[in-house]
């Protein structure tokens, strides 16, 4: 018997990138910043050619993402009962206290309850997706929008260990009794205490990834070898491929290099960007299983998604 939560489709993925395009080498002191953050590595190996910077107010980008997603799903503002906002910890500290109010009013969401998911760094949006789906336990809920955002005001702060951050806001709409593009099969997020202390290692990162993946696969009754594609985080390419191999994910199943080249690492928005890009280039197929993943110092999150589009 199919549960009511399994009848919730996820679709109408919308990506709004920063409106200014820039090259990493144009950041003042870039070479020194990169070597300080990722000593001994060649930035050319990362695979990032450009990134996007928000020139308009961040709320404009978020509102645009939410409006695009609602429009693509056919949902009217009156249909949306909940708006789940996800962002990483540094971005959360930059948002005004009335940020959710601004988004609700600009989108005409007059009867919509806002939620916030954060403190899991770049893994926050995958937890937000599960929270958004679980809101359908209320039989009166018909539509929920999840929006994830991350941005960096100072270009010099974009250069982090094994990452070059870009700005983006992404959204998707969850709808009851609608196939959407995918459905959420299972998900998991786990904590690496060494990472919380700033003492993570390859071993600790592998351990937390193995635990999360095993949990999601077990709950979803799926096998790693049957994953059609992995929507990875847009981090330093050699490290991303190594991390995938270490936990049994075939590197040739990862989809991230195209968006990494154009946009860099957009925080907790990466998996949505990569899913949307893959669907545009190849197409998500009904019945196939996909893995969305994200990692950050102290955390690893993943979600199994099943294609539902005919």
């Amino acid at each position: 018997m199919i549960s009511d939560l399994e009848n919730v489709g996820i679709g109408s993925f919308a990506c709004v990138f920063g409106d200014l395009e820039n090259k990493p080498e144009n950041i003042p002191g870039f070479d020194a910043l990169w070597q300080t953050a990722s000593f001994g590595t060649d930035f050319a190996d990362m695979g990032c050619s450009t990134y996007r910077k928000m020139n308009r107010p961040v709320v404009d980008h978020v509102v645009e993402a939410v409006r695009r997603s609602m429009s693509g799903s056919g949902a009217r503002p009156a249909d949306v009962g909940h708006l789940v906002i996800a962002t990483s910890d540094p971005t959360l500290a930059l948002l005004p206290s009335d940020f959710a109010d601004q988004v609700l009013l600009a989108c005409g969401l007059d009867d919509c309850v806002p939620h916030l998911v954060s403190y899991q760094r770049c893994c926050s949006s995958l937890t937000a997706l599960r929270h958004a789906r679980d809101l359908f336990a209320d039989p009166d809920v018909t539509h929920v929008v999840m929006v994830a955002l991350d941005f960096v005001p100072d270009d010099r702060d974009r250069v982090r260990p094994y990452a070059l951050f870009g700005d983006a806001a992404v959204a998707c709409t969850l709808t009851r009794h609608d196939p959407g593009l995918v459905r959420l099969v299972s998900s998991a997020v786990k904590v690496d205490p060494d990472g919380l202390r700033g003492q993570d290692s390859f071993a600790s990162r592998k351990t937390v990834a193995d635990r999360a993946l095993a949990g999601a696969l077990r709950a979803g009754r799926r096998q790693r070898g049957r994953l059609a594609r992995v929507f990875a985080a847009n981090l330093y390419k050699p490290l991303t491929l190594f991390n995938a191999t270490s936990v049994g994910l075939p590197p040739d199943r990862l989809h991230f290099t195209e968006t990494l080249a154009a946009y860099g690492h957009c925080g907790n928005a990466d998996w949505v960007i990569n899913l949307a890009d893959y669907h545009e280039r190849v197409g998500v197929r009904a019945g196939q299983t996909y893995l969305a993943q994200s990692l950050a110092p102290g955390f690893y999150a993943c979600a199994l998604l099943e294609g539902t589009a005919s």
Side-chain angles (χ1 to χ4, degrees):
M1 180 176 178
I2 298 177
S3 74
D4 212 31
L5 293 183
E6 290 179 308
N7 278 322
V8 175
I10 307 167
S12 192
F13 289 87
C15 302
V16 179
F17 300 98
D19 36 329
L20 294 181
E21 184 180 83
N22 199 5
K23 295 182 178 181
E25 56 265 30
N26 292 338
I27 297 174
F30 174 75
D31 289 339
L33 290 169
W34 178 257
Q35 283 305 309
T36 299
S38 307
F39 180 75
T41 62
D42 186 348
F43 178 74
D45 292 335
M46 180 169 175
C48 176
S49 301
T50 59
Y51 67 89
R52 297 293 187 87
K53 178 181 179 69
M54 290 183 181
N55 188 45
R56 296 177 292 150
V58 61
V59 68
D60 291 356
H61 293 78
V62 172
V63 167
E64 183 178 345
V66 172
R67 285 176 173 169
R68 281 191 195 176
S69 185
M70 288 194 302
S71 175
S73 70
R76 302 168 303 166
D79 297 330
V80 180
H82 299 269
L83 175 68
V84 181
I85 301 171
T87 192
S88 62
D89 318 10
T91 301
L92 177 61
L94 300 171
L95 299 179
S97 59
D98 65 343
F99 183 78
D101 302 347
Q102 293 182 44
V103 176
L104 294 177
L105 293 171
C107 293
L109 298 171
D110 296 334
D111 192 23
C112 179
V113 178
H115 304 244
L116 173 67
V117 178
S118 189
Y119 291 130
Q120 295 174 22
R121 303 192 184 184
C122 294
C123 296
S124 297
S125 61
L126 283 170
T127 296
L129 182 71
R130 182 173 62 187
H131 177 65
R133 194 281 309 271
D134 289 351
L135 290 169
F136 287 84
D138 178 348
D140 292 331
V141 173
T142 61
H143 295 77
V144 175
V145 175
M146 191 278 288
V147 61
L149 69 143
D150 268 312
F151 67 98
V152 180
D154 187 338
D155 279 347
R156 291 175 58 85
D157 291 335
R158 296 183 184 280
V159 187
R160 308 280 181 84
Y162 306 105
L164 190 289
F165 275 71
D167 300 345
V170 299
C172 59
T173 299
L174 292 79
T175 307
R176 188 189 298 275
H177 301 309
D178 185 284
L181 182 63
V182 296
R183 71 178 183 91
L184 178 61
V185 176
S186 60
S187 65
V189 58
K190 298 295 182 181
V191 176
D192 171 14
D194 288 342
L196 297 180
R197 300 185 185 98
Q199 299 172 352
D200 51 320
S201 62
F202 285 120
S204 71
R205 290 191 292 270
K206 180 182 184 306
T207 297
V208 71
D210 274 330
R211 290 174 58 223
L213 281 167
L217 289 164
R218 183 170 57 252
R221 299 181 180 180
R222 301 296 201 276
Q223 298 177 346
R224 293 183 206 210
R226 301 298 296 272
L227 297 174
R229 208 68 174 172
V230 178
F231 306 122
N234 291 357
L235 301 172
Y236 184 64
K237 185 176 178 180
L239 182 63
T240 300
L241 296 174
F242 174 84
N243 285 340
T245 301
S246 72
V247 294
L249 297 175
D252 61 354
R253 301 284 175 86
L254 270 61
H255 188 83
F256 76 105
T257 55
E258 293 87 355
T259 61
L260 169 61
Y263 308 116
H265 175 42
C266 297
N268 81 143
D270 275 358
W271 71 268
V272 176
I273 294 168
N274 287 321
L275 188 160
D277 183 77
Y278 178 79
H279 183 56
E280 182 177 345
R281 293 174 185 269
V282 180
V284 168
R285 297 181 180 179
Q288 292 197 332
T289 303
Y290 302 89
L291 176 72
Q293 62 156 11
S294 188
L295 61 158
F299 300 95
Y300 184 95
C302 58
L304 291 178
L305 306 169
E306 182 180 287
T308 52
S310 58

